[in-house]
Amino acid sequence: MTFAGEVKNAVTARAALLVIGVLGLQLLFIASYVGALHKPDPTDVPFGVVAPQQMSGQLVTGLGDLPGGPLDPRAVSDAAEARRQIMNRDIDGALVVSPTGATDTVLVASGGGTVLADTLVKIIAKAEEPRQRTVRAVDVAPASREDFDGLSSFYLVVGWCVGGYLCASILAISAGTRPANRQRAAIRTGVMALYSIAGGIGGAVIVGPVLGALPGSVWALSGLGALVVFSVGMITLALEALTGIVGIGLAVLIIVIAGNPSAGGAFPLPMLPDFWRAIGPALPPGAGTWVARSIAYFKGNAVTGPLLVLSAWAVAGTVVTLLLSMRRRPDGAEEAAAAAAAGGSSLA
């Protein structure tokens, strides 16, 4: 056999296409992670300003005109309101101007991301220098000492996402990527649900009671984990039902390549480039990370939107998986139809 023939036997056309697809995913992985994380710059960070009325407007304008546009400042009535808005995750920080002394206060929330909190303090300290004023930082939602840089929420959600698409991939590879009938699709959905509950509880227990990395309700985190795992798993099953084994690669594209760097984990959303900042909240890793941090540090505030995002992925994946299984004939029907067709042609 010639060398060309050996090559054709060793690498089929289908395998070659899959290899090319993997290469594309590899390059997209590099482009997405490096593109999102290589130069974190804060842009339009929601920021409150508490100052005497006669200087509030001028100060808001000055902070809004800082080079590079790092802040999106707005006047806030008083320090208590600023704290409330930070805890509700409406703003990421606030400057409270002292009406008497020369030291102002910067309110931050390192639970939402230590890097962003530190960056806000540096920005305000530099902006205050021309006015001969100093600043002190007050952390109204501090990250746990066991939660370095506030990253535990992100890594927890990444683990849940990995479990979701790996479980779905195993279910597909072990018995065919496309569910042959409604019963098989329903069974896979049930298995995915049970796995999601176990994964959610296990992850919450590890980061909470076992490692002490995250405060907050273990049961609330468990529920979030189950939803994250199930949403990722079901969208993976749906993609596999649509495209076969290619669906695994599409799931990796959505969850790992697009979702992880845009999740606001390593750097919170206001520090990401526009594209990643826009897509992050709409993808499971971003929605999950936001809710995990809210449960741990912000009394469970501002979680409705992200929970709806996760629920939408879960419902869409489930509906597509079940609908596609209904379009396929039950086990044995295809063989019976083929036999009937063969019998009809022999009679003819």
Side-chain angles (χ1 to χ4, degrees):
M1 182 179 292
T2 63
F3 178 74
E6 290 287 359
V7 170
K8 289 181 179 179
N9 285 338
V11 183
T12 64
R14 182 171 182 268
L17 289 175
L18 290 174
V19 169
I20 293 172
V22 170
L23 175 61
L25 288 177
Q26 172 185 306
L27 298 179
L28 285 173
F29 184 99
I30 295 170
S32 184
Y33 276 73
V34 177
L37 307 177
H38 77 289
K39 189 181 178 183
D41 285 323
T43 307
D44 294 329
V45 180
F47 192 79
V49 176
V50 179
Q53 186 174 2
Q54 62 271 22
M55 63 181 301
S56 177
Q58 182 181 359
L59 190 54
V60 168
T61 301
L63 292 176
D65 291 338
L66 290 175
L71 303 179
D72 177 18
R74 71 284 309 269
V76 178
S77 58
D78 53 40
E81 175 63 15
R83 288 173 176 266
R84 187 191 69 80
Q85 290 190 24
I86 291 173
M87 291 303 298
N88 286 341
R89 309 199 74 178
D90 296 323
I91 58 178
D92 290 307
L95 170 63
V96 181
V97 176
S98 172
T100 55
T103 300
D104 299 330
T105 301
V106 182
L107 303 178
V108 294
S110 61
T114 303
V115 175
L116 179 59
D118 292 342
T119 300
L120 288 176
V121 174
K122 293 176 182 177
I123 290 173
I124 298 303
K126 185 175 181 180
E128 292 275 73
E129 286 178 357
R131 300 173 55 231
Q132 303 297 312
R133 302 184 71 85
T134 58
V135 298
R136 68 183 184 97
V138 174
D139 199 340
V140 301
S144 166
R145 291 185 178 181
E146 305 297 324
D147 182 14
F148 178 74
D149 275 357
L151 291 173
S152 296
S153 300
F154 171 60
Y155 290 132
L156 173 64
V157 172
V158 167
W160 281 330
C161 289
V162 169
Y165 67 72
L166 283 182
C167 179
S169 300
I170 290 171
L171 289 174
I173 292 172
S174 64
T177 52
R178 292 184 174 89
N181 52 46
R182 291 186 296 273
Q183 289 77 15
R184 184 180 296 178
I187 291 170
R188 288 183 179 180
T189 301
V191 170
M192 200 66 245
L194 291 175
Y195 177 87
S196 300
I197 293 170
I201 294 173
V205 169
I206 289 171
V207 301
V210 175
L211 297 179
L214 284 181
S217 168
V218 171
W219 289 113
L221 286 174
S222 297
L224 169 65
L227 182 56
V228 170
V229 176
F230 188 73
S231 64
V232 172
M234 290 312 301
I235 202 65
T236 303
L237 286 177
L239 291 170
E240 291 165 349
L242 280 169
T243 63
I245 196 171
V246 174
I248 297 175
L250 294 176
V252 170
L253 175 64
I254 294 171
I255 304 302
V256 179
I257 294 175
N260 286 353
S262 65
F267 300 111
L269 289 175
M271 302 188 74
L272 298 179
D274 291 341
F275 172 75
W276 286 269
R277 187 192 305 194
I279 67 172
L283 298 175
T289 299
W290 178 277
V291 176
R293 282 177 171 161
S294 289
I295 292 171
Y297 299 117
F298 296 93
K299 300 180 179 180
N301 293 327
V303 299
T304 301
L307 288 177
L308 288 175
V309 168
L310 292 169
S311 299
W313 282 100
V315 170
T318 303
V319 169
V320 170
T321 299
L322 296 178
L323 284 179
L324 288 176
S325 71
M326 293 173 65
R327 294 176 56 188
R328 299 177 66 81
R329 299 181 180 184
D331 288 342
E334 293 180 357
E335 292 81 358
S345 37
S346 63
L347 289 174

